[in-house]
Amino acid sequence: MKQVKALVFDVFGTVVDWRSGVAREFASFLPAHGRPDLDPFALADSWRKLYQPGMEECRSGRRPFTRLDVLHRESLEKVLAANNITGASEGDLDHLNRAWHRLDPWPDVLLGLSRMKRKYFLAPLSNGNIALLANMAKRAMIPWDAILGAEPVQAYKPQPEAYLRTAELLALKPEEVCLVAAHNGDLRAAAKAGLSTAFVARKTEHGEGQAIDLSAEDPWDWVGTDFVDLAAKLGCS
Amino acid sequence: MKQVKALVFDVFGTVVDWRSGVAREFASFLPAHGRPDLDPFALADSWRKLYQPGMEECRSGRRPFTRLDVLHRESLEKVLAANNITGASEGDLDHLNRAWHRLDPWPDVLLGLSRMKRKYFLAPLSNGNIALLANMAKRAMIPWDAILGAEPVQAYKPQPEAYLRTAELLALKPEEVCLVAAHNGDLRAAAKAGLSTAFVARKTEHGEGQAIDLSAEDPWDWVGTDFVDLAAKLGCS
């Protein structure tokens, strides 16, 4: 068994249910802005669809590193414009944009992390920015030991720098850091950078008809059915 | 009363008693390396004396930003050489260098912070690097909401960027962030950058004969006798 000292976590999808959380906020925003006819889940999906293209501008070097709150705000305005939603105040827009700061963990997360925390150093390795991740953690009492991720290392996953610089910030070797993620692609990039890997499937991240990431596609170092199961497999009971 | 949302803390001296902690580690290192005759507190003071000059190389631009663990290691080697201590293994040196990761909080800190945490966002704003601050917090159960400081903003206090970029990482206005420190100079720089300020005296940080920072030298927004008293003055009981 590899000598892992820190567990770092993908957050959107792996730790928190972003789709239900964002849809919940649209469910109160839409009627208040004259569009009760629209499906809150469809708007959550539309917003999320602009996530990778926004980061890709930074990864490609066409744009300097820009924190996710800013990218989220730009993509939110595009989604609202595409759906002819106008007249929201700056306060309303800012509040809705921070829906990503108010996402809830999947039901197994807090118990699993509280067990892992006894033996491992725990931190998010998310493309979310520090304020987003820290506000989320404070609200949901997620017991991180530090708030890491794209912003402190100024690189978006799956760029290798996002994984390698995070290990460096922790003063650990890459293999001493294990990425926990529900996404095989994220784990592939982490493994390529030399990190250890653990997979937990989140089969309804994208809703009932989800077709991707239903199971581990490579021989990851650990595979858990949820965070409590993964904690046990990592020797934390 | 100012609308403060986050409390950020100087750490060495304000939150933890660095001098006793470092001396404690020298007290076991020195006899093991043939120098039981040396005073552990004197070595702690010598090490600390190289702290500001090391950072000044980075502040001045003569050297790119370099994390404190590296500066500490360089200054440790100078202190050992100046005292003719030779032959320590790489493992011994690395362990001693991480004495700064194992410092204990002053006795009022955990109770005070646990009260402040209910109402405010809490983070260190220290010149210590992320791994140092996070390892310290995990060991001592300091309940930070995020690990901030010089490393994520790539600037050493009292550079204005250290304060301003920290507020930006928190997505707050400078005045919504209050620096808590036992050092009037740190508070002066924070106030100049627009932050709110709170002073708590640590009258034995430098030992019994301490001559500086025995009291508030400017009209700081809050002054507490310790963290429990400050929590009460900040409306947290």
Side-chain angles (χ1 to χ4, degrees):
Chain A
M1 191 181 276
K2 297 192 183 181
Q3 192 53 44
V4 168
K5 294 181 177 170
L7 304 175
V8 297
F9 294 77
D10 173 64
V11 170
F12 302 124
T14 302
V15 172
V16 297
D17 178 3
W18 61 267
R19 189 169 182 265
S20 300
V22 172
R24 178 188 62 209
E25 306 246 354
F26 270 121
S28 55
F29 178 88
L30 291 170
H33 292 83
R35 294 305 302 270
D37 55 308
L38 294 174
D39 174 11
F41 285 95
L43 286 219
D45 289 338
S46 300
W47 197 0
R48 183 69 170 176
K49 204 168 280 175
L50 298 176
Y51 175 63
Q52 290 297 341
M55 293 187 294
E56 192 53 31
E57 290 299 300
C58 302
R59 291 190 199 109
S60 67
R62 286 189 293 272
R63 180 178 188 177
F65 181 86
T66 306
R67 74 184 54 155
L68 193 61
D69 272 346
V70 174
L71 302 181
H72 269 158
R73 175 62 186 263
E74 292 170 0
S75 52
L76 172 62
E77 294 185 16
K78 284 181 199 167
V79 168
L80 296 180
N83 286 278
N84 295 312
I85 300 165
T86 53
S89 70
E90 171 57 33
D92 289 344
L93 291 173
D94 185 58
H95 181 77
L96 182 57
N97 197 47
R98 290 177 189 244
W100 300 89
H101 296 219
R102 293 184 295 269
L103 300 175
D104 290 321
W106 299 102
D108 51 284
V109 164
L110 295 183
L111 181 58
L113 290 181
S114 72
R115 291 186 180 167
M116 296 177 202
K117 189 175 169 88
R118 295 179 206 147
K119 190 168 163 186
Y120 298 98
F121 189 100
L122 305 182
L125 201 186
S126 163
N127 284 334
N129 50 294
I130 293 175
L132 184 161
L133 296 167
N135 287 336
M136 174 197 286
K138 189 170 181 82
R139 178 179 173 277
M141 300 207 292
I142 304 173
W144 302 129
D145 290 306
I147 303 291
L148 301 178
E151 192 174 26
V153 298
Q154 299 277 298
Y156 277 120
K157 296 189 294 178
Q159 288 181 292
E161 294 81 5
Y163 308 97
L164 292 171
R165 288 184 196 152
T166 295
E168 208 194 330
L169 283 181
L170 290 167
L172 295 175
K173 296 175 202 142
E175 65 266 28
E176 293 175 330
V177 178
C178 178
L179 178 70
V180 180
H183 308 128
N184 288 283
D186 196 359
L187 293 173
R188 268 189 281 274
K192 207 166 167 189
L195 274 71
S196 299
T197 52
F199 178 83
V200 172
R202 297 299 191 187
K203 298 182 183 181
T204 59
E205 175 187 352
H206 299 282
E208 289 306 320
Q210 183 168 327
I212 58 166
D213 288 320
L214 296 171
S215 61
E217 294 167 9
D218 284 306
W220 308 125
D221 298 312
W222 291 274
V223 177
T225 54
D226 64 17
F227 276 27
V228 176
D229 181 55
L230 181 63
K233 288 180 172 150
L234 287 163
C236 314
S237 53
Chain B
M1 192 180 275
K2 296 191 183 183
Q3 192 53 45
V4 168
K5 294 182 176 168
L7 304 175
V8 297
F9 293 77
D10 174 63
V11 170
F12 302 124
T14 302
V15 173
V16 297
D17 177 3
W18 61 267
R19 189 169 183 264
S20 300
V22 171
R24 179 186 64 208
E25 306 246 352
F26 270 122
S28 56
F29 178 88
L30 291 171
H33 292 83
R35 293 305 303 270
D37 55 308
L38 294 175
D39 174 11
F41 285 94
L43 287 219
D45 289 337
S46 300
W47 197 358
R48 183 68 171 177
K49 204 168 282 176
L50 298 175
Y51 175 63
Q52 290 297 342
M55 292 186 295
E56 192 53 32
E57 289 299 300
C58 303
R59 289 190 199 110
S60 66
R62 287 189 293 272
R63 182 179 188 178
F65 181 86
T66 306
R67 73 183 56 157
L68 192 61
D69 273 345
V70 174
L71 302 181
H72 269 156
R73 175 61 186 265
E74 293 171 359
S75 51
L76 173 61
E77 294 186 16
K78 284 181 198 165
V79 168
L80 296 180
N83 287 276
N84 295 311
I85 300 165
T86 54
S89 70
E90 171 57 32
D92 289 343
L93 291 173
D94 185 58
H95 181 77
L96 182 56
N97 197 48
R98 290 175 189 245
W100 300 89
H101 297 218
R102 293 185 295 270
L103 301 175
D104 290 321
W106 299 102
D108 51 285
V109 164
L110 296 183
L111 180 58
L113 291 181
S114 72
R115 291 186 181 167
M116 297 177 201
K117 190 177 168 85
R118 294 179 208 146
K119 189 168 164 186
Y120 297 98
F121 189 99
L122 305 183
L125 199 187
S126 163
N127 284 332
N129 50 295
I130 293 174
L132 183 162
L133 296 167
N135 287 335
M136 174 197 285
K138 189 171 181 82
R139 178 179 174 277
M141 302 207 292
I142 304 173
W144 302 130
D145 290 306
I147 304 290
L148 302 178
E151 193 173 25
V153 298
Q154 299 278 298
Y156 278 119
K157 294 189 295 179
Q159 289 181 290
E161 294 81 4
Y163 308 97
L164 292 170
R165 289 185 195 151
T166 295
E168 207 194 331
L169 283 181
L170 290 166
L172 295 175
K173 294 176 204 143
E175 65 267 27
E176 292 175 331
V177 179
C178 177
L179 178 70
V180 180
H183 308 127
N184 287 284
D186 196 0
L187 293 173
R188 269 189 280 272
K192 206 166 165 187
L195 274 71
S196 299
T197 52
F199 178 84
V200 172
R202 296 300 190 187
K203 298 183 183 180
T204 59
E205 175 187 352
H206 298 283
E208 289 306 321
Q210 182 169 327
I212 57 167
D213 287 321
L214 295 172
S215 61
E217 295 167 8
D218 284 305
W220 309 125
D221 298 311
W222 292 274
V223 176
T225 55
D226 65 16
F227 276 28
V228 177
D229 179 55
L230 181 63
K233 287 179 173 151
L234 287 163
C236 314
S237 53

